[in-house]
mmCIF file of all heavy atoms in Angstrom:
data_model
loop_
_atom_site.group_PDB
_atom_site.id
_atom_site.type_symbol
_atom_site.label_atom_id
_atom_site.label_comp_id
_atom_site.label_asym_id
_atom_site.label_seq_id
_atom_site.Cartn_x
_atom_site.Cartn_y
_atom_site.Cartn_z
ATOM 1 N N GLY F 71 -204.988 -90.707 -114.456
ATOM 2 C CA GLY F 71 -205.713 -91.114 -113.261
ATOM 3 C C GLY F 71 -205.773 -90.033 -112.209
ATOM 4 O O GLY F 71 -204.908 -89.152 -112.135
ATOM 5 N N ALA F 72 -206.845 -90.080 -111.411
ATOM 6 C CA ALA F 72 -207.043 -89.163 -110.277
ATOM 7 C C ALA F 72 -206.974 -87.705 -110.717
ATOM 8 O O ALA F 72 -206.365 -86.867 -110.055
ATOM 9 C CB ALA F 72 -206.036 -89.446 -109.167
ATOM 10 N N ASP F 73 -207.608 -87.401 -111.860
ATOM 11 C CA ASP F 73 -207.683 -86.022 -112.354
ATOM 12 C C ASP F 73 -206.308 -85.387 -112.548
ATOM 13 O O ASP F 73 -206.120 -84.193 -112.316
ATOM 14 C CB ASP F 73 -208.527 -85.156 -111.408
ATOM 15 C CG ASP F 73 -209.948 -85.667 -111.273
ATOM 16 O OD1 ASP F 73 -210.470 -86.219 -112.257
ATOM 17 O OD2 ASP F 73 -210.538 -85.537 -110.182
ATOM 18 N N GLY F 74 -205.343 -86.188 -112.985
ATOM 19 C CA GLY F 74 -204.007 -85.674 -113.263
ATOM 20 C C GLY F 74 -203.040 -85.762 -112.103
ATOM 21 O O GLY F 74 -201.836 -85.506 -112.269
ATOM 22 N N ILE F 75 -203.530 -86.141 -110.931
ATOM 23 C CA ILE F 75 -202.690 -86.144 -109.737
ATOM 24 C C ILE F 75 -201.626 -87.241 -109.804
ATOM 25 O O ILE F 75 -200.481 -87.039 -109.381
ATOM 26 C CB ILE F 75 -203.558 -86.294 -108.474
ATOM 27 C CG1 ILE F 75 -204.405 -85.029 -108.290
ATOM 28 C CG2 ILE F 75 -202.704 -86.547 -107.240
ATOM 29 C CD1 ILE F 75 -205.418 -85.122 -107.172
ATOM 30 N N ILE F 76 -201.969 -88.400 -110.358
ATOM 31 C CA ILE F 76 -201.005 -89.503 -110.419
ATOM 32 C C ILE F 76 -199.783 -89.103 -111.247
ATOM 33 O O ILE F 76 -198.633 -89.319 -110.839
ATOM 34 C CB ILE F 76 -201.676 -90.768 -111.000
ATOM 35 C CG1 ILE F 76 -202.677 -91.331 -109.988
ATOM 36 C CG2 ILE F 76 -200.631 -91.820 -111.361
ATOM 37 C CD1 ILE F 76 -203.471 -92.519 -110.495
ATOM 38 N N GLY F 77 -200.015 -88.511 -112.398
ATOM 39 C CA GLY F 77 -198.901 -88.103 -113.241
ATOM 40 C C GLY F 77 -198.048 -87.027 -112.601
ATOM 41 O O GLY F 77 -196.809 -87.093 -112.621
ATOM 42 N N MET F 78 -198.688 -86.023 -112.009
ATOM 43 C CA MET F 78 -197.929 -84.947 -111.383
ATOM 44 C C MET F 78 -197.165 -85.430 -110.157
ATOM 45 O O MET F 78 -196.064 -84.954 -109.866
ATOM 46 C CB MET F 78 -198.869 -83.805 -110.991
ATOM 47 C CG MET F 78 -199.299 -82.923 -112.141
ATOM 48 S SD MET F 78 -197.930 -81.980 -112.898
ATOM 49 C CE MET F 78 -197.450 -83.076 -114.241
ATOM 50 N N ASN F 79 -197.725 -86.394 -109.443
ATOM 51 C CA ASN F 79 -197.014 -86.944 -108.291
ATOM 52 C C ASN F 79 -195.748 -87.675 -108.741
ATOM 53 O O ASN F 79 -194.708 -87.612 -108.071
ATOM 54 C CB ASN F 79 -197.922 -87.898 -107.520
ATOM 55 C CG ASN F 79 -197.297 -88.376 -106.224
ATOM 56 O OD1 ASN F 79 -196.796 -87.585 -105.430
ATOM 57 N ND2 ASN F 79 -197.309 -89.685 -106.007
ATOM 58 N N ALA F 80 -195.831 -88.349 -109.887
ATOM 59 C CA ALA F 80 -194.648 -89.037 -110.418
ATOM 60 C C ALA F 80 -193.547 -88.038 -110.754
ATOM 61 O O ALA F 80 -192.357 -88.308 -110.532
ATOM 62 C CB ALA F 80 -195.029 -89.846 -111.660
ATOM 63 N N VAL F 81 -193.921 -86.878 -111.270
ATOM 64 C CA VAL F 81 -192.932 -85.838 -111.563
ATOM 65 C C VAL F 81 -192.346 -85.293 -110.263
ATOM 66 O O VAL F 81 -191.126 -85.147 -110.115
ATOM 67 C CB VAL F 81 -193.566 -84.691 -112.374
ATOM 68 C CG1 VAL F 81 -192.537 -83.596 -112.645
ATOM 69 C CG2 VAL F 81 -194.136 -85.206 -113.688
ATOM 70 N N ALA F 82 -193.220 -84.990 -109.308
ATOM 71 C CA ALA F 82 -192.775 -84.410 -108.041
ATOM 72 C C ALA F 82 -191.821 -85.327 -107.291
ATOM 73 O O ALA F 82 -190.898 -84.860 -106.613
ATOM 74 C CB ALA F 82 -193.988 -84.088 -107.167
ATOM 75 N N LYS F 83 -192.025 -86.642 -107.415
ATOM 76 C CA LYS F 83 -191.209 -87.602 -106.666
ATOM 77 C C LYS F 83 -189.966 -88.050 -107.445
ATOM 78 O O LYS F 83 -189.134 -88.792 -106.917
ATOM 79 C CB LYS F 83 -192.052 -88.832 -106.321
ATOM 80 C CG LYS F 83 -193.259 -88.538 -105.431
ATOM 81 C CD LYS F 83 -192.839 -88.014 -104.064
ATOM 82 C CE LYS F 83 -193.990 -88.028 -103.056
ATOM 83 N NZ LYS F 83 -195.076 -87.101 -103.384
ATOM 84 N N ALA F 84 -189.822 -87.614 -108.689
ATOM 85 C CA ALA F 84 -188.671 -88.020 -109.502
ATOM 86 C C ALA F 84 -187.405 -87.296 -109.031
ATOM 87 O O ALA F 84 -187.477 -86.226 -108.414
ATOM 88 C CB ALA F 84 -188.936 -87.710 -110.972
ATOM 89 N N PRO F 85 -186.232 -87.858 -109.317
ATOM 90 C CA PRO F 85 -184.978 -87.171 -108.970
ATOM 91 C C PRO F 85 -184.893 -85.822 -109.683
ATOM 92 O O PRO F 85 -185.309 -85.689 -110.834
ATOM 93 C CB PRO F 85 -183.893 -88.130 -109.479
ATOM 94 C CG PRO F 85 -184.562 -89.457 -109.587
ATOM 95 C CD PRO F 85 -185.987 -89.179 -109.939
ATOM 96 N N GLY F 86 -184.336 -84.837 -109.006
ATOM 97 C CA GLY F 86 -184.202 -83.508 -109.596
ATOM 98 C C GLY F 86 -182.932 -83.376 -110.416
ATOM 99 O O GLY F 86 -182.155 -82.430 -110.217
ATOM 100 N N ASP F 87 -182.733 -84.314 -111.337
ATOM 101 C CA ASP F 87 -181.506 -84.316 -112.135
ATOM 102 C C ASP F 87 -181.706 -83.753 -113.537
ATOM 103 O O ASP F 87 -180.790 -83.770 -114.355
ATOM 104 C CB ASP F 87 -180.940 -85.734 -112.224
ATOM 105 C CG ASP F 87 -181.963 -86.745 -112.745
ATOM 106 O OD1 ASP F 87 -183.033 -86.319 -113.229
ATOM 107 O OD2 ASP F 87 -181.690 -87.963 -112.662
ATOM 108 N N GLY F 88 -182.925 -83.272 -113.818
ATOM 109 C CA GLY F 88 -183.182 -82.671 -115.116
ATOM 110 C C GLY F 88 -183.660 -83.636 -116.179
ATOM 111 O O GLY F 88 -183.914 -83.217 -117.308
ATOM 112 N N TYR F 89 -183.818 -84.910 -115.829
ATOM 113 C CA TYR F 89 -184.190 -85.891 -116.842
ATOM 114 C C TYR F 89 -185.668 -86.280 -116.791
ATOM 115 O O TYR F 89 -186.092 -87.185 -117.502
ATOM 116 C CB TYR F 89 -183.293 -87.124 -116.731
ATOM 117 C CG TYR F 89 -181.880 -86.793 -117.157
ATOM 118 C CD1 TYR F 89 -180.932 -86.396 -116.220
ATOM 119 C CD2 TYR F 89 -181.517 -86.802 -118.495
ATOM 120 C CE1 TYR F 89 -179.645 -86.037 -116.605
ATOM 121 C CE2 TYR F 89 -180.235 -86.450 -118.894
ATOM 122 C CZ TYR F 89 -179.309 -86.066 -117.948
ATOM 123 O OH TYR F 89 -178.046 -85.700 -118.346
ATOM 124 N N THR F 90 -186.435 -85.585 -115.951
ATOM 125 C CA THR F 90 -187.881 -85.789 -115.905
ATOM 126 C C THR F 90 -188.580 -84.440 -116.004
ATOM 127 O O THR F 90 -188.277 -83.520 -115.241
ATOM 128 C CB THR F 90 -188.317 -86.480 -114.602
ATOM 129 O OG1 THR F 90 -187.687 -87.757 -114.507
ATOM 130 C CG2 THR F 90 -189.828 -86.663 -114.572
ATOM 131 N N LEU F 91 -189.482 -84.333 -116.976
ATOM 132 C CA LEU F 91 -190.358 -83.176 -117.092
ATOM 133 C C LEU F 91 -191.791 -83.672 -116.993
ATOM 134 O O LEU F 91 -192.068 -84.858 -117.203
ATOM 135 C CB LEU F 91 -190.165 -82.444 -118.423
ATOM 136 C CG LEU F 91 -188.812 -81.785 -118.678
ATOM 137 C CD1 LEU F 91 -187.921 -82.725 -119.480
ATOM 138 C CD2 LEU F 91 -188.990 -80.464 -119.435
ATOM 139 N N GLY F 92 -192.696 -82.779 -116.680
ATOM 140 C CA GLY F 92 -194.102 -83.140 -116.612
ATOM 141 C C GLY F 92 -194.960 -82.063 -117.230
ATOM 142 O O GLY F 92 -194.591 -80.885 -117.241
ATOM 143 N N VAL F 93 -196.095 -82.482 -117.764
ATOM 144 C CA VAL F 93 -197.051 -81.539 -118.347
ATOM 145 C C VAL F 93 -198.013 -81.109 -117.246
ATOM 146 O O VAL F 93 -198.763 -81.929 -116.709
ATOM 147 C CB VAL F 93 -197.817 -82.179 -119.515
ATOM 148 C CG1 VAL F 93 -198.859 -81.206 -120.059
ATOM 149 C CG2 VAL F 93 -196.846 -82.585 -120.621
ATOM 150 N N ALA F 94 -197.986 -79.834 -116.922
ATOM 151 C CA ALA F 94 -198.804 -79.301 -115.832
ATOM 152 C C ALA F 94 -199.996 -78.539 -116.376
ATOM 153 O O ALA F 94 -199.893 -77.827 -117.378
ATOM 154 C CB ALA F 94 -197.961 -78.380 -114.951
ATOM 155 N N SER F 95 -201.122 -78.693 -115.702
ATOM 156 C CA SER F 95 -202.325 -77.916 -116.007
ATOM 157 C C SER F 95 -202.895 -77.406 -114.691
ATOM 158 O O SER F 95 -202.410 -77.748 -113.613
ATOM 159 C CB SER F 95 -203.354 -78.774 -116.748
ATOM 160 O OG SER F 95 -203.782 -79.847 -115.930
ATOM 161 N N SER F 96 -203.931 -76.607 -114.774
ATOM 162 C CA SER F 96 -204.441 -75.944 -113.575
ATOM 163 C C SER F 96 -204.975 -76.914 -112.532
ATOM 164 O O SER F 96 -204.814 -76.694 -111.332
ATOM 165 C CB SER F 96 -205.545 -74.957 -113.958
ATOM 166 O OG SER F 96 -206.605 -75.662 -114.587
ATOM 167 N N GLY F 97 -205.610 -78.008 -112.980
ATOM 168 C CA GLY F 97 -206.248 -78.914 -112.029
ATOM 169 C C GLY F 97 -205.336 -79.390 -110.921
ATOM 170 O O GLY F 97 -205.515 -79.038 -109.749
ATOM 171 N N PRO F 98 -204.308 -80.195 -111.239
ATOM 172 C CA PRO F 98 -203.471 -80.740 -110.168
ATOM 173 C C PRO F 98 -202.493 -79.755 -109.547
ATOM 174 O O PRO F 98 -202.101 -79.931 -108.395
ATOM 175 C CB PRO F 98 -202.726 -81.890 -110.856
ATOM 176 C CG PRO F 98 -202.772 -81.583 -112.303
ATOM 177 C CD PRO F 98 -204.027 -80.805 -112.537
ATOM 178 N N VAL F 99 -202.072 -78.697 -110.262
ATOM 179 C CA VAL F 99 -201.019 -77.838 -109.718
ATOM 180 C C VAL F 99 -201.537 -76.519 -109.152
ATOM 181 O O VAL F 99 -200.811 -75.841 -108.424
ATOM 182 C CB VAL F 99 -199.917 -77.551 -110.764
ATOM 183 C CG1 VAL F 99 -199.297 -78.839 -111.249
ATOM 184 C CG2 VAL F 99 -200.442 -76.744 -111.932
ATOM 185 N N VAL F 100 -202.769 -76.133 -109.465
ATOM 186 C CA VAL F 100 -203.324 -74.884 -108.935
ATOM 187 C C VAL F 100 -204.527 -75.161 -108.040
ATOM 188 O O VAL F 100 -204.572 -74.748 -106.886
ATOM 189 C CB VAL F 100 -203.738 -73.929 -110.084
ATOM 190 C CG1 VAL F 100 -204.461 -72.705 -109.525
ATOM 191 C CG2 VAL F 100 -202.522 -73.488 -110.880
ATOM 192 N N ILE F 101 -205.501 -75.863 -108.586
ATOM 193 C CA ILE F 101 -206.770 -76.067 -107.893
ATOM 194 C C ILE F 101 -206.705 -77.254 -106.942
ATOM 195 O O ILE F 101 -207.355 -77.274 -105.900
ATOM 196 C CB ILE F 101 -207.901 -76.260 -108.929
ATOM 197 C CG1 ILE F 101 -207.988 -75.022 -109.833
ATOM 198 C CG2 ILE F 101 -209.234 -76.517 -108.253
ATOM 199 C CD1 ILE F 101 -208.827 -75.211 -111.077
ATOM 200 N N GLY F 102 -205.887 -78.249 -107.287
ATOM 201 C CA GLY F 102 -205.857 -79.492 -106.528
ATOM 202 C C GLY F 102 -205.589 -79.320 -105.049
ATOM 203 O O GLY F 102 -206.174 -80.013 -104.213
ATOM 204 N N LYS F 103 -204.713 -78.384 -104.703
ATOM 205 C CA LYS F 103 -204.352 -78.215 -103.298
ATOM 206 C C LYS F 103 -205.543 -77.764 -102.458
ATOM 207 O O LYS F 103 -205.634 -78.081 -101.268
ATOM 208 C CB LYS F 103 -203.203 -77.208 -103.184
ATOM 209 C CG LYS F 103 -202.508 -77.226 -101.833
ATOM 210 C CD LYS F 103 -201.261 -76.369 -101.847
ATOM 211 C CE LYS F 103 -200.550 -76.438 -100.503
ATOM 212 N NZ LYS F 103 -199.327 -75.617 -100.475
ATOM 213 N N ARG F 104 -206.469 -77.014 -103.079
ATOM 214 C CA ARG F 104 -207.646 -76.548 -102.352
ATOM 215 C C ARG F 104 -208.720 -77.624 -102.224
ATOM 216 O O ARG F 104 -209.434 -77.679 -101.226
ATOM 217 C CB ARG F 104 -208.247 -75.329 -103.065
ATOM 218 C CG ARG F 104 -207.480 -74.045 -102.872
ATOM 219 C CD ARG F 104 -207.530 -73.573 -101.419
ATOM 220 N NE ARG F 104 -208.895 -73.443 -100.917
ATOM 221 C CZ ARG F 104 -209.627 -72.342 -101.011
ATOM 222 N NH1 ARG F 104 -209.109 -71.263 -101.588
ATOM 223 N NH2 ARG F 104 -210.846 -72.294 -100.528
ATOM 224 N N LEU F 105 -208.850 -78.462 -103.240
ATOM 225 C CA LEU F 105 -209.948 -79.428 -103.263
ATOM 226 C C LEU F 105 -209.548 -80.826 -102.820
ATOM 227 O O LEU F 105 -210.411 -81.652 -102.535
ATOM 228 C CB LEU F 105 -210.550 -79.494 -104.674
ATOM 229 C CG LEU F 105 -211.247 -78.216 -105.161
ATOM 230 C CD1 LEU F 105 -211.888 -78.450 -106.513
ATOM 231 C CD2 LEU F 105 -212.291 -77.744 -104.158
ATOM 232 N N PHE F 106 -208.246 -81.093 -102.783
ATOM 233 C CA PHE F 106 -207.780 -82.422 -102.396
ATOM 234 C C PHE F 106 -206.728 -82.277 -101.297
ATOM 235 O O PHE F 106 -205.523 -82.259 -101.572
ATOM 236 C CB PHE F 106 -207.202 -83.167 -103.601
ATOM 237 C CG PHE F 106 -208.152 -83.253 -104.773
ATOM 238 C CD1 PHE F 106 -207.991 -82.428 -105.878
ATOM 239 C CD2 PHE F 106 -209.220 -84.134 -104.758
ATOM 240 C CE1 PHE F 106 -208.865 -82.493 -106.953
ATOM 241 C CE2 PHE F 106 -210.101 -84.209 -105.827
ATOM 242 C CZ PHE F 106 -209.927 -83.386 -106.928
ATOM 243 N N PRO F 107 -207.157 -82.158 -100.036
ATOM 244 C CA PRO F 107 -206.208 -81.949 -98.931
ATOM 245 C C PRO F 107 -205.169 -83.061 -98.810
ATOM 246 O O PRO F 107 -204.082 -82.834 -98.279
ATOM 247 C CB PRO F 107 -207.114 -81.905 -97.694
ATOM 248 C CG PRO F 107 -208.467 -81.557 -98.211
ATOM 249 C CD PRO F 107 -208.549 -82.165 -99.567
ATOM 250 N N GLN F 108 -205.500 -84.255 -99.287
ATOM 251 C CA GLN F 108 -204.564 -85.375 -99.197
ATOM 252 C C GLN F 108 -203.650 -85.456 -100.418
ATOM 253 O O GLN F 108 -203.060 -86.508 -100.686
ATOM 254 C CB GLN F 108 -205.346 -86.691 -99.049
ATOM 255 C CG GLN F 108 -206.278 -86.727 -97.852
ATOM 256 C CD GLN F 108 -205.566 -86.431 -96.544
ATOM 257 O OE1 GLN F 108 -204.480 -86.951 -96.297
ATOM 258 N NE2 GLN F 108 -206.165 -85.592 -95.709
ATOM 259 N N LEU F 109 -203.531 -84.364 -101.153
ATOM 260 C CA LEU F 109 -202.649 -84.333 -102.318
ATOM 261 C C LEU F 109 -201.262 -84.822 -101.898
ATOM 262 O O LEU F 109 -200.689 -84.313 -100.931
ATOM 263 C CB LEU F 109 -202.562 -82.898 -102.852
ATOM 264 C CG LEU F 109 -202.090 -82.691 -104.294
ATOM 265 C CD1 LEU F 109 -203.103 -83.256 -105.283
ATOM 266 C CD2 LEU F 109 -201.865 -81.205 -104.569
ATOM 267 N N PRO F 110 -200.701 -85.816 -102.600
ATOM 268 C CA PRO F 110 -199.447 -86.428 -102.136
ATOM 269 C C PRO F 110 -198.196 -85.607 -102.413
ATOM 270 O O PRO F 110 -197.087 -86.076 -102.170
ATOM 271 C CB PRO F 110 -199.416 -87.756 -102.906
ATOM 272 C CG PRO F 110 -200.172 -87.479 -104.160
ATOM 273 C CD PRO F 110 -201.261 -86.514 -103.771
ATOM 274 N N PHE F 111 -198.352 -84.403 -102.924
ATOM 275 C CA PHE F 111 -197.200 -83.537 -103.167
ATOM 276 C C PHE F 111 -197.634 -82.092 -102.972
ATOM 277 O O PHE F 111 -198.825 -81.775 -102.996
ATOM 278 C CB PHE F 111 -196.645 -83.740 -104.586
ATOM 279 C CG PHE F 111 -197.628 -83.403 -105.684
ATOM 280 C CD1 PHE F 111 -197.652 -82.144 -106.262
ATOM 281 C CD2 PHE F 111 -198.536 -84.348 -106.131
ATOM 282 C CE1 PHE F 111 -198.561 -81.826 -107.256
ATOM 283 C CE2 PHE F 111 -199.452 -84.047 -107.133
ATOM 284 C CZ PHE F 111 -199.466 -82.782 -107.693
ATOM 285 N N ASP F 112 -196.667 -81.224 -102.765
ATOM 286 C CA ASP F 112 -196.930 -79.795 -102.623
ATOM 287 C C ASP F 112 -196.514 -79.120 -103.928
ATOM 288 O O ASP F 112 -195.321 -79.025 -104.220
ATOM 289 C CB ASP F 112 -196.128 -79.220 -101.454
ATOM 290 C CG ASP F 112 -196.443 -77.748 -101.200
ATOM 291 O OD1 ASP F 112 -196.931 -77.068 -102.128
ATOM 292 O OD2 ASP F 112 -196.191 -77.274 -100.078
ATOM 293 N N PRO F 113 -197.484 -78.655 -104.736
ATOM 294 C CA PRO F 113 -197.128 -78.061 -106.027
ATOM 295 C C PRO F 113 -196.148 -76.900 -105.910
ATOM 296 O O PRO F 113 -195.317 -76.695 -106.801
ATOM 297 C CB PRO F 113 -198.479 -77.589 -106.581
ATOM 298 C CG PRO F 113 -199.496 -78.425 -105.883
ATOM 299 C CD PRO F 113 -198.935 -78.667 -104.515
ATOM 300 N N ASN F 114 -196.224 -76.146 -104.813
ATOM 301 C CA ASN F 114 -195.360 -74.978 -104.658
ATOM 302 C C ASN F 114 -193.915 -75.344 -104.331
ATOM 303 O O ASN F 114 -192.999 -74.580 -104.630
ATOM 304 C CB ASN F 114 -195.909 -74.063 -103.562
ATOM 305 C CG ASN F 114 -197.273 -73.511 -103.904
ATOM 306 O OD1 ASN F 114 -197.589 -73.280 -105.070
ATOM 307 N ND2 ASN F 114 -198.113 -73.320 -102.891
ATOM 308 N N LYS F 115 -193.710 -76.503 -103.720
ATOM 309 C CA LYS F 115 -192.367 -76.905 -103.312
ATOM 310 C C LYS F 115 -191.793 -78.034 -104.163
ATOM 311 O O LYS F 115 -190.584 -78.087 -104.396
ATOM 312 C CB LYS F 115 -192.381 -77.346 -101.842
ATOM 313 C CG LYS F 115 -192.752 -76.243 -100.858
ATOM 314 C CD LYS F 115 -192.774 -76.782 -99.430
ATOM 315 C CE LYS F 115 -193.163 -75.697 -98.427
ATOM 316 N NZ LYS F 115 -193.231 -76.237 -97.038
ATOM 317 N N ASP F 116 -192.652 -78.932 -104.597
ATOM 318 C CA ASP F 116 -192.185 -80.158 -105.243
ATOM 319 C C ASP F 116 -192.141 -80.078 -106.766
ATOM 320 O O ASP F 116 -191.707 -81.028 -107.423
ATOM 321 C CB ASP F 116 -193.071 -81.339 -104.832
ATOM 322 C CG ASP F 116 -193.035 -81.577 -103.327
ATOM 323 O OD1 ASP F 116 -192.006 -81.249 -102.711
ATOM 324 O OD2 ASP F 116 -194.029 -82.077 -102.770
ATOM 325 N N LEU F 117 -192.612 -78.969 -107.330
ATOM 326 C CA LEU F 117 -192.577 -78.781 -108.777
ATOM 327 C C LEU F 117 -191.951 -77.430 -109.089
ATOM 328 O O LEU F 117 -192.202 -76.451 -108.386
ATOM 329 C CB LEU F 117 -193.988 -78.846 -109.373
ATOM 330 C CG LEU F 117 -194.735 -80.171 -109.225
ATOM 331 C CD1 LEU F 117 -196.178 -80.020 -109.693
ATOM 332 C CD2 LEU F 117 -194.041 -81.289 -110.000
ATOM 333 N N LYS F 118 -191.152 -77.383 -110.134
ATOM 334 C CA LYS F 118 -190.497 -76.133 -110.522
ATOM 335 C C LYS F 118 -190.942 -75.767 -111.939
ATOM 336 O O LYS F 118 -190.732 -76.533 -112.881
ATOM 337 C CB LYS F 118 -188.976 -76.295 -110.468
ATOM 338 C CG LYS F 118 -188.206 -75.003 -110.728
ATOM 339 C CD LYS F 118 -186.723 -75.176 -110.414
ATOM 340 C CE LYS F 118 -186.460 -75.168 -108.925
ATOM 341 N NZ LYS F 118 -185.005 -75.142 -108.606
ATOM 342 N N PRO F 119 -191.578 -74.598 -112.124
ATOM 343 C CA PRO F 119 -192.019 -74.191 -113.464
ATOM 344 C C PRO F 119 -190.836 -74.040 -114.419
ATOM 345 O O PRO F 119 -189.793 -73.500 -114.048
ATOM 346 C CB PRO F 119 -192.697 -72.837 -113.217
ATOM 347 C CG PRO F 119 -193.029 -72.821 -111.762
ATOM 348 C CD PRO F 119 -191.948 -73.619 -111.090
#
Side-chain angles (χ1 to χ4, degrees):
D73 300 327
I75 292 173
I76 290 176
M78 283 295 94
N79 187 49
V81 179
K83 298 297 194 294
D87 54 11
Y89 291 93
T90 300
L91 295 95
V93 177
S95 63
S96 60
V99 302
V100 173
I101 301 167
K103 195 171 182 180
R104 285 294 305 271
L105 294 185
F106 305 103
Q108 303 305 316
L109 200 67
F111 62 94
D112 184 338
N114 297 328
K115 297 179 181 178
D116 299 332
L117 297 172
K118 186 170 284 188

